[in-house]
Amino acid sequence: MTTHVTSFRMTNRMNCFKRVQPEVERFAMAHGLSPKCTFHLTLCLDELITNIIDYGYADFDEHPIDVTITLENGCVSVRIEDDAEPFNLLEAPPPELEVPLEERTKPIGGMGIHLVKTMMDGIEYTRKNGRNILLLRKCVCDDGALAGAPHE
Amino acid sequence: MTESKENGITILTVNGNLDAEGTQALEEKVLALLDAGETSLLFDFTGLDYINSSGLRILVLAYQRLKKASGKVAICGVRDYIQEVFEVSGYDKIFPLFRDRAGAVGSM
């Protein structure tokens, strides 16, 4: 089966959404991903990279963030690699979903990561050579995402 | 983003993307309305393509401020994939979600 890949580099000085959204949109259009799947991918990249940019760096230097999106066998994989402080989102505490909003200590805390964990089918985190490597996986065959895919 | 008024309800119509810039503009607008004493806010998201957790934070802020003032906040017109964001975050239980503006204005 054909593998489709796109890669791009951004930095912590860039506007996250404006850099990420056109890349995801272009990839999704080219390979017939559904609007819902496109939204999930954009949202997850936006949430995760915004976190890296806002909380990941102890200095004020410019840092690269590398993103690779792969479509293979009905699954989209997203790889994010950065040289920010170690951060394993799998260990991040969940938001207080069961506590009424008025009583939550952090009403919105952790919500971005909760959205990512819910919308993706698989998450792997590795810290290697001073870099965070995050692998996200989402199966797109179950929501009709590839229904309109162009014929190979 | 446009602002209108119907039956004493202030309606904020947000089109396009609530990305970092859009969210900041919405926050400033919502804070100005709350400071001016508005107590009924309806967000019309019929033309909204994108929202993230920062955008949700503004809705929660409006909810928390209006709750103290015995006010009301509701949302209408969200498309299916944005509705899912409300469900996943549990906010569909906090905010009344209406199919369209007429239904929201009639019920608020």
Side-chain angles (χ1 to χ4, degrees):
Chain A
M1 192 152 178
T2 322
T3 302
H4 303 286
V5 186
T6 188
S7 293
F8 61 95
R9 169 168 280 194
M10 56 184 289
T11 80
N12 58 322
R13 298 258 171 91
M14 291 175 181
N15 178 315
C16 179
F17 177 81
K18 284 190 166 52
R19 179 72 181 91
V20 164
Q21 197 251 359
E23 297 280 357
V24 176
E25 197 85 7
R26 198 175 307 127
F27 187 79
M29 284 287 282
H31 306 302
L33 300 184
S34 68
K36 181 176 165 176
C37 182
T38 309
F39 174 72
H40 282 178
L41 292 173
T42 307
L43 179 67
C44 290
L45 278 166
D46 185 22
E47 295 288 353
L48 293 169
I49 296 174
T50 299
N51 259 353
I52 295 168
I53 293 173
D54 288 351
Y55 306 111
Y57 303 103
D59 58 33
F60 297 97
D61 297 339
E62 189 161 21
H63 294 267
I65 300 165
D66 291 309
V67 179
T68 303
I69 307 173
T70 308
L71 173 64
E72 189 177 31
N73 297 330
C75 266
V76 178
S77 310
V78 177
R79 186 179 193 276
I80 305 172
E81 182 169 341
D82 62 76
D83 65 351
E85 299 290 313
F87 175 68
N88 181 357
L89 86 164
L90 294 171
E91 290 170 0
E96 309 165 285
L97 290 178
E98 304 311 317
V99 182
L101 200 52
E102 307 85 73
E103 295 163 25
R104 289 183 196 172
T105 47
K106 292 185 295 177
I108 200 76
M111 192 55 79
I113 285 168
H114 174 68
L115 292 174
V116 173
K117 284 179 176 171
T118 310
M119 289 175 172
M120 291 293 138
D121 296 316
I123 301 174
E124 263 176 59
Y125 170 79
T126 315
R127 179 80 183 173
K128 196 175 168 186
N129 300 329
R131 305 175 75 82
N132 297 302
I133 300 167
L134 195 60
L135 280 171
L136 310 170
R137 193 171 44 80
K138 182 162 183 69
C139 295
V140 292
C141 14
D142 53 349
D143 70 345
L146 286 170
H151 293 288
E152 303 284 348
Chain B
M1 180 168 49
T2 54
E3 178 187 344
S4 55
K5 198 124 186 167
E6 253 178 78
N7 291 350
I9 301 164
T10 298
I11 304 168
L12 284 178
T13 305
V14 184
N15 296 317
N17 299 317
L18 276 177
D19 57 353
E21 279 172 23
T23 297
Q24 193 184 346
L26 181 67
E27 178 169 17
E28 285 166 12
K29 187 75 205 163
V30 166
L31 287 174
L33 288 168
L34 293 173
D35 289 344
E38 289 294 343
T39 54
S40 287
L41 268 184
L42 173 63
F43 294 91
D44 187 340
F45 285 166
T46 309
L48 183 70
D49 297 320
Y50 183 81
I51 188 167
N52 59 20
S53 62
S54 309
L56 292 176
R57 190 179 61 80
I58 308 308
L59 303 178
V60 171
L61 176 144
Y63 172 84
Q64 289 181 320
R65 290 267 303 257
L66 284 176
K67 178 108 181 166
K68 283 182 203 149
S70 303
K72 284 177 283 191
V73 55
I75 295 157
C76 70
V78 291
R79 52 193 63 183
D80 56 352
Y81 62 76
I82 290 181
Q83 167 102 16
E84 190 191 0
V85 173
F86 281 86
E87 288 163 7
V88 169
S89 58
Y91 294 160
D92 59 326
K93 297 184 184 70
I94 292 160
F95 298 104
L97 295 170
F98 296 94
R99 185 187 298 268
D100 54 32
R101 183 187 291 212
V105 170
S107 305
M108 281 178 78

